[in-house]
């Protein structure tokens, strides 16, 4: 039974709670985001819950991954079906946009096109590109969103963005992919740097979202950014997306989405869909090893807490190592996460006070953080104020 959920087996206290999931409905929202290196173990775990716990699993997404064959291989007796009647008809009913392929564009060319629009959202693949294009835009009505900003500042800016969109004011937003899920905004035009088809269609969900405009005039522009892309995971998703864009006049159909995921999974290969050999370890009852290897979020990042007028006392307690769940929860609202190499570079430059042994740092140079753009990972040290 413990094999049903590898992430819960390292502690017996967690295993004893597993019965609570029996006879329940479990919703996997944005199912297309299941990590490819763990896809087969994830499918196996879902099938186990359905077969032996009486669970009903619901996979929700606008871009349904092609998992039927994988489920059939590990649990052929399971019945998989669409909940919504006439899904093809629903795709037609909810069609809100038109896709236009723009080809290769420099950052300058993209910025010029964005500046010509009154209200527009541009989603790119890197924080560096997002900041560069943002800085080229007219200052009036320009906004930037990335994970280098604290949750407090992202929420503040999103509130302003929604108000300007509603009032018809100039609003040009450059963002990383963080706006593609769970962010409710409605732009008349969207630009999306080439990515996986699922990301492109998620971006399209931010264009004419409320269906108030003519779909023919609500355009999602797909472009290829300048420079060599070295992100292997992204390149893996771009290749089948390019093939589907070439083969299908309308990419927002069940047929095109299924073709994309079939190509993607075929390119990855079965062995890479269980990169940590989770299923073999599970079969050998090595549950603690499974728990250590099964990481849905492979996160080696470190947290950087950004001092503000409102969190000075919490920062003081943090320095005194008076940790508590409540303290870390409060501080999490004013924190950003960095990969280890960026964290170490900022520590070396005197920008961050390192507490790496505890997985975090504290910003020392206030000039390195902007409420409009977030943390500048290329910044250098400056004056620091210690509050004890």
């Amino acid at each position: 039974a413990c094999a049903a959920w590898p992430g819960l087996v390292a502690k017996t206290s967690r295993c004893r709670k597993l019965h609570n999931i029996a006879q329940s409905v479990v919703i996997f929202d944005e199912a297309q985001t299941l990590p490819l290196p763990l896809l087969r173990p994830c499918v196996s775990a879902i099938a186990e819950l359905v077969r032996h716990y009486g669970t009903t699993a619901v996979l929700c997404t606008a871009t349904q991954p092609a998992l039927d064959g994988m489920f059939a291989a590990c649990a052929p007796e399971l019945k998989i079906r669409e909940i919504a009647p006439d899904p093809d008809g629903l795709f037609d009913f909810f069609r809100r946009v038109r896709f236009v392929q723009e080809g290769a564009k420099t950052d300058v060319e993209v910025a010029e096109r964005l500046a010509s629009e009154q209200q527009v959202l541009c989603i790119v693949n890197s924080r560096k590109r997002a900041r560069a294009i943002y800085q080229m835009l007219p200052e009036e009505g320009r906004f930037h969103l990335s994970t280098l900003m604290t949750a407090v500042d992202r929420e503040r800016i999103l509130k302003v963005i929604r108000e300007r969109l509603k009032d018809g004011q100039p609003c040009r937003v450059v963002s990383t992919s963080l706006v593609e899920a769970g962010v409710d905004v409605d732009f008349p035009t969207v630009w999306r740097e080439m990515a996986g088809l699922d990301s492109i269609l998620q971006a399209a969900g931010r264009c004419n979202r409320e269906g108030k405009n003519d779909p023919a005039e609500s355009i999602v522009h797909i472009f290829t950014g300048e420079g060599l892309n070295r992100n292997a995971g992204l390149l893996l998703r771009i290749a089948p997306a390019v093939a589907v864009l070439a083969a299908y006049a309308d990419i927002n159909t069940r047929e095109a989405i299924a073709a994309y995921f079939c190509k993607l999974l075929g390119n990855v290969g079965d062995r890479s869909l269980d990169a940590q050999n989770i299923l073999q370890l599970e079969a050998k009852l090595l549950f603690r090893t499974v728990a250590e290897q099964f990481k849905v979020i492979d996160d080696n990042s470190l947290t950087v807490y950004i001092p503000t007028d409102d969190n000075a006392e919490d920062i003081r307690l943090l320095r005194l190592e008076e940790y508590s769940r409540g303290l870390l929860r409060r501080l999490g609202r004013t924190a950003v996460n960095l990969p280890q190499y960026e964290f170490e570079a900022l520590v070396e430059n005197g920008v961050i006070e390192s507490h790496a042994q505890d997985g975090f740092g504290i910003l020392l140079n206030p000039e390195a953080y902007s409420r409009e753009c977030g943390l500048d990972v290329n910044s250098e040290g400056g004056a620091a104020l210690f509050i004890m």
Side-chain angles (χ1 to χ4, degrees):
C2 293
W5 200 250
L8 299 180
V9 301
K11 295 184 179 180
T12 55
S13 61
R14 291 187 174 183
C15 280
R16 286 196 294 270
K17 298 175 183 177
L18 188 57
H19 69 90
N20 292 314
I21 207 169
Q23 304 298 323
S24 63
V25 177
V26 181
I27 298 175
F28 296 86
D29 197 16
E30 304 295 355
Q32 82 284 352
T33 62
L34 289 170
L36 290 176
L38 293 171
L39 192 56
R40 288 179 62 220
C42 285
V43 168
S44 175
I46 294 169
E48 182 80 6
L49 291 173
V50 174
R51 295 169 77 187
H52 298 294
Y53 291 76
T55 298
T56 298
V58 180
L59 277 65
C60 294
T61 172
T63 52
Q64 196 69 250
L67 301 178
D68 290 21
M70 212 171 294
F71 276 111
C74 62
E77 74 278 14
L78 294 184
K79 295 181 179 179
I80 301 174
R81 65 181 180 87
E82 291 278 358
I83 293 179
D86 187 20
D88 289 318
L90 287 174
F91 265 82
D92 291 334
F93 178 78
F94 285 109
R95 185 161 282 108
R96 297 281 188 263
V97 303
R98 179 167 63 92
F99 295 90
V100 173
Q101 298 188 55
E102 298 285 353
K105 294 290 181 184
T106 66
D107 292 350
V108 173
E109 289 172 331
V110 172
E112 289 174 348
R113 294 288 295 273
L114 299 181
S116 69
E117 301 278 356
Q118 179 79 350
Q119 296 184 335
V120 60
L121 168 65
C122 177
I123 303 174
V124 294
N125 295 329
S126 73
R127 301 171 311 189
K128 182 178 180 181
R129 174 156 292 153
R131 187 183 288 251
I133 294 175
Y134 161 82
Q135 290 174 339
M136 297 182 208
L137 296 177
E139 291 189 15
E140 168 63 19
R142 71 175 182 180
F143 300 94
H144 172 276
L145 291 168
S146 86
T147 54
L148 290 177
M149 304 167 69
T150 66
V152 168
D153 284 330
R154 288 200 303 268
E155 291 171 8
R156 173 183 56 82
I157 289 177
L158 279 168
K159 181 179 179 181
V160 175
I161 288 170
R162 293 188 180 105
E163 291 173 351
R164 295 183 74 93
L165 289 172
K166 181 180 178 180
D167 295 340
Q169 296 177 285
C171 186
R172 304 176 184 95
V173 180
V174 186
S175 174
T176 58
S177 61
L178 68 88
V179 300
E180 289 180 350
V183 177
D184 186 7
V185 289
D186 185 2
F187 284 83
T189 303
V190 168
W191 281 68
R192 183 47 167 110
E193 186 178 4
M194 180 63 73
L197 187 67
D198 50 336
S199 293
I200 293 171
L201 295 180
Q202 290 288 343
R206 276 70 206 160
C207 182
N208 194 22
R209 188 173 181 83
E210 297 178 10
K212 296 179 179 179
N213 302 321
D214 184 348
E217 297 177 359
S218 304
I219 301 175
V220 177
H221 303 266
I222 305 168
F223 70 98
T224 301
E226 63 181 322
L228 181 63
N229 193 324
R230 293 183 173 86
N231 187 318
L234 182 60
L235 291 173
L236 189 66
R237 291 181 174 273
I238 286 176
V242 170
V244 169
L245 282 164
Y248 291 85
D250 186 357
I251 59 173
N252 193 19
T253 63
R254 294 176 70 216
E255 183 182 1
I257 294 168
Y260 165 75
F261 279 109
C262 285
K263 290 178 183 294
L264 175 63
L265 297 182
N267 291 347
V268 172
D270 282 346
R271 292 186 63 181
S272 296
L273 296 175
D274 184 8
Q276 301 299 323
N277 294 317
I278 298 296
L279 296 179
Q280 290 184 23
L281 294 170
E282 185 183 60
K284 295 177 181 178
L285 307 184
L286 300 174
F287 296 131
R288 182 170 293 278
T289 305
V290 167
E292 293 169 354
Q293 297 295 328
F294 190 98
K295 297 180 180 179
V296 175
I297 301 175
D298 188 11
D299 188 3
N300 295 318
S301 64
L302 293 99
T303 301
V304 179
Y305 295 108
I306 312 298
T308 68
D309 293 339
D310 297 327
N311 70 6
E313 176 61 15
D314 284 339
I315 292 290
R316 187 184 72 84
L317 293 173
L318 191 68
R319 284 195 168 103
L320 294 175
E321 299 185 0
E322 296 185 12
Y323 307 142
S324 70
R325 183 174 298 179
L327 175 72
L328 296 179
R329 184 183 298 115
R330 292 192 302 272
L331 284 173
R333 300 271 299 153
T334 53
V336 299
N337 292 322
L338 293 180
Q340 187 169 351
Y341 74 94
E342 289 183 339
F343 182 94
E344 291 175 350
L346 290 179
V347 169
E348 185 176 346
N349 287 337
V351 178
I352 293 175
E353 170 189 332
S354 178
H355 298 259
Q357 69 279 5
D358 293 320
F360 72 87
I362 301 172
L363 183 68
L364 292 176
N365 180 7
E367 295 181 359
Y369 185 85
S370 159
R371 297 191 69 198
E372 286 69 42
C373 291
L375 184 62
D376 182 359
V377 294
N378 298 312
S379 60
E380 297 182 354
L385 175 65
F386 288 86
I387 303 174
M388 299 298 290

